[in-house]
Amino acid sequence: MTTFRSLLDKVDERLGDGLEHALCAHHERRLRRLGWGEVLEPTGTEDRFGGRAVTRHGNRLEVLVDGEEALPAIAAAIRGAKSHVHIANWHASPDFRLTREPDAPTLRDLLASTAQRGVDVRLLVWAGPPVPAFQPTRGMVRAEQRKFTENTAVRCVLDARERTMHCHHEKLVVVDDEVAFVGGVDFTALEGDRHDSREHPPDRPIGWHDLMTRLHGPVVADVAEHFRQRWTEVAGEELPKPATPEPAGTSNVQLLRTVPDKTYAFAPQGEFTILDAYLRALRSARRLVYLENQFLWSPEIAEVLIDKLCDPPDEKFRVVLLLPRKPSNGADTTRGQLGRLLDADDGNHRLLATTISSHDGESSAPVYVHAKLGIVDDEWMTIGSANLNEHSLFNDTEVNVATDDRDLIRATRLRLWAEHLRRPAADLDADPADVVDNLWRPIAEEQAERERRGEPRTHRLVLLPGVSRRAERLQGPLRGLLVDG
């Protein structure tokens, strides 16, 4: 039996290798045809803040951690709007409330009352899948569109220009072209509680870890222009080009996008600056790669990490991953890529793959990692809507921001590590490799051992289960070849 399983593993691995090679070759041909081929070419001296995305200077970027912090900030900005509120999202539910206050209005009522004050409110959401294979279905989205617009001055437009089996996945809000929010938070209760806090109390069916950014300064014009471009084509309403705000801080910020080719007239060759930025940053990594993401099954991303683990640039080089225990899809694919990364690490303990859940005595609940964060060496950071899969990097519409503000990046990492390790940030202000080796790994391994013995967990952090050297890599590349045109 052992010999048979070993043979199956070998066959699985060989097929996975072949399919991933075919997928990568397909992506390369596609990007070269579109004039984006250089994105996949290492230069040897990566400029992690280079690439094709414009860098804006003089911005203030704030990182809002978890819905309890992000959603009220968005609600306050909408309530204070004077000219317009522009929202683009994967999905928005009219009965969703941005705060948990007893008298908090629904999203529909908040937008309606804002529009009643003479503020232009425009809501651009994905129209849903052409075939009702999963939520939100097109029927559901049309019904909710009517709820947003009936007896209100709110304009809600559905965008059905998606590539086959893909979607419009970005999550952004622009208010008066003066403040913008970009990140991963959806305005819906579908699949989990977006209002979760850094405490992640186990009093809900499923917790939700997510991130948003609040932006002031010149980069807001880039976010506003992206919305304007999509709205103009889909709604047929010409909006004025946004004015560029005055400097508001000291951070350099880039707006990064995935815009699939042949989808919009404003980008007929597409835009793939999120992929460009990730590859540049990861290739340049010397000491630390820290990723929080819903998925990790992009072969292009995995290959860079594998190269780094096989030939580490420094003895203290570490890769730390925070992923959901059970992603909404692609679970086996993520496990397969992690198996490859473990093979590359070869027992050197440079790679640590973890997840989180919520525990309080006898009570416990899963916490879904929905954040889309990348940090490299505390010198580059991106936050947005893009997952590390072929959907987000090639075929869905996505918006991220990136910065090289080292003080902000380090403070963000320490704040997140304090949340996940349940330690004061000051206790974690040391060499990242030492914190990973002496805190992250011992805690995660101890909790995994407690799970193995059937004992209750005592900490939210744990090794990602199901990570082994077995490949199980067929689903990702096969799905990519089937759905990627």
Side-chain angles (χ1 to χ4, degrees):
M1 183 66 179
T2 302
T3 303
F4 180 68
R5 288 192 63 84
S6 178
L7 178 62
L8 282 179
D9 290 348
K10 289 288 186 184
V11 172
D12 181 53
E13 185 174 355
R14 292 292 177 86
L15 287 173
D17 282 342
L19 283 170
E20 283 189 355
H21 177 77
L23 179 60
C24 289
H26 169 70
H27 286 159
E28 183 176 2
R29 288 192 301 270
R30 176 182 166 193
L31 291 189
R32 289 195 184 286
R33 185 178 71 251
L34 297 170
W36 286 86
E38 66 184 36
V39 167
L40 301 175
E41 298 173 358
T43 66
T45 55
E46 301 301 332
D47 176 7
R48 56 176 67 135
F49 223 60
R52 297 193 180 189
V54 175
T55 300
R56 303 298 183 191
H57 308 287
N59 302 282
R60 182 165 84 251
L61 190 161
E62 301 165 87
V63 179
L64 308 176
V65 180
D66 295 316
E68 185 182 65
E69 183 171 281
L71 290 169
I74 295 170
I78 292 173
R79 286 196 302 270
K82 301 178 182 65
S83 169
H84 58 268
V85 173
H86 291 165
I87 299 172
N89 211 300
W90 168 75
H91 184 60
S93 299
D95 59 352
F96 182 73
R97 301 175 192 272
L98 294 182
T99 72
R100 284 279 172 81
E101 297 169 358
D103 58 346
T106 64
L107 179 60
R108 185 263 183 203
D109 290 344
L110 174 63
L111 297 182
S113 63
T114 301
Q116 192 175 29
R117 295 192 286 106
V119 175
D120 292 330
V121 177
R122 298 177 176 91
L123 179 60
L124 181 61
V125 296
W126 180 41
V131 178
F134 55 89
Q135 291 186 336
T137 64
R138 290 209 163 170
M140 177 190 299
V141 175
R142 286 193 293 268
E144 295 189 338
Q145 178 191 35
R146 289 192 293 271
K147 293 178 183 177
F148 276 118
T149 57
E150 282 180 350
N151 302 315
T152 78
V154 174
R155 297 235 12 225
C156 179
V157 173
L158 309 183
D159 192 344
R161 295 189 180 195
E162 77 280 350
R163 289 171 67 87
T164 303
M165 297 181 70
H166 292 91
C167 71
H168 299 291
H169 193 244
E170 63 203 49
K171 305 93 167 47
L172 62 88
V173 178
V174 182
V175 177
D176 298 342
D177 293 350
E178 295 178 355
V179 59
F181 299 84
V182 171
V185 178
D186 301 305
F187 295 158
T188 181
L190 282 178
E191 300 178 341
D193 180 19
R194 304 313 198 274
H195 294 85
D196 209 351
S197 70
R198 67 187 307 272
E199 297 303 321
H200 299 298
D203 59 355
R204 57 208 69 197
I206 180 169
W208 202 269
H209 175 60
D210 221 330
L211 299 171
M212 290 292 283
T213 61
R214 178 166 51 194
L215 304 161
H216 292 85
V219 75
V220 172
D222 295 332
V223 185
E225 174 64 9
H226 172 75
F227 179 91
R228 187 192 73 83
Q229 289 175 326
R230 284 190 63 205
W231 181 269
T232 297
E233 287 204 35
V234 178
E237 178 190 10
E238 189 69 40
L239 300 179
K241 288 186 71 69
T244 301
E246 292 296 317
T250 59
S251 296
N252 300 322
V253 181
Q254 291 178 323
L255 181 75
L256 308 173
R257 302 194 297 182
T258 299
V259 180
D261 54 291
K262 301 177 183 177
T263 304
Y264 298 107
F266 67 79
Q269 303 299 105
E271 179 175 324
F272 306 94
T273 46
I274 295 176
L275 174 67
D276 184 23
Y278 260 112
L279 292 179
R280 284 174 175 272
L282 294 176
R283 289 176 191 139
S284 75
R286 301 183 303 273
R287 297 288 299 275
L288 176 67
V289 172
Y290 177 57
L291 302 175
E292 295 187 2
N293 213 278
Q294 186 179 3
F295 303 110
L296 177 59
W297 47 273
S298 162
E300 287 83 7
I301 298 295
E303 289 300 328
V304 176
L305 296 177
I306 286 168
D307 288 345
K308 289 287 182 179
L309 291 167
C310 288
D311 184 19
D314 189 280
E315 270 303 307
K316 289 199 167 187
F317 177 72
R318 300 290 184 270
V319 177
V320 180
L321 309 174
L322 188 79
L323 305 167
R325 179 181 290 256
K326 293 181 179 179
S328 57
N329 59 64
D332 291 339
T333 314
T334 293
R335 298 290 191 274
Q337 294 292 22
L338 288 174
R340 299 180 66 216
L341 293 170
L342 280 170
D343 283 343
D345 189 32
D346 198 24
N348 287 303
H349 283 182
R350 295 188 178 95
L351 170 71
L352 182 63
T354 64
T355 190
I356 53 173
S357 56
S358 181
H359 296 268
D360 182 12
E362 296 299 314
S363 301
S364 66
V367 176
Y368 195 75
V369 179
H370 193 257
K372 297 91 168 59
L373 165 89
I375 289 177
V376 173
D377 295 336
D378 282 354
E379 297 175 4
W380 177 89
M381 177 173 71
T382 186
I383 294 172
S385 63
N387 294 310
L388 295 177
N389 57 12
E390 66 85 28
H391 289 261
S392 289
L393 299 180
F394 292 94
N395 293 303
D396 294 343
T397 55
E398 305 280 9
V399 174
N400 274 37
V401 292
T403 185
D404 63 352
D405 185 332
R406 297 187 182 190
D407 290 340
L408 172 65
I409 297 168
R410 182 169 163 277
T412 300
R413 178 178 62 79
L414 290 175
R415 186 178 175 199
L416 291 169
W417 285 19
E419 175 176 327
H420 304 323
L421 294 168
R422 307 194 76 174
R423 300 288 183 94
D427 292 356
L428 310 176
D429 190 8
D431 187 299
D434 293 339
V435 177
V436 172
D437 294 348
N438 299 323
L439 283 176
W440 273 86
R441 186 176 295 278
I443 291 171
E445 289 180 344
E446 178 195 10
Q447 296 305 306
E449 179 62 20
R450 293 182 71 91
E451 279 191 349
R452 190 190 66 79
R453 295 195 301 257
E455 299 174 0
R457 293 252 307 278
T458 58
H459 198 282
R460 68 174 49 146
L461 188 70
V462 67
L463 292 180
L464 191 66
V467 178
S468 70
R469 292 177 180 270
R470 176 172 166 77
E472 297 183 15
R473 285 161 42 205
L474 298 182
Q475 287 193 34
L478 184 60
R479 183 186 296 116
L481 286 172
L482 287 174
V483 304
D484 181 19

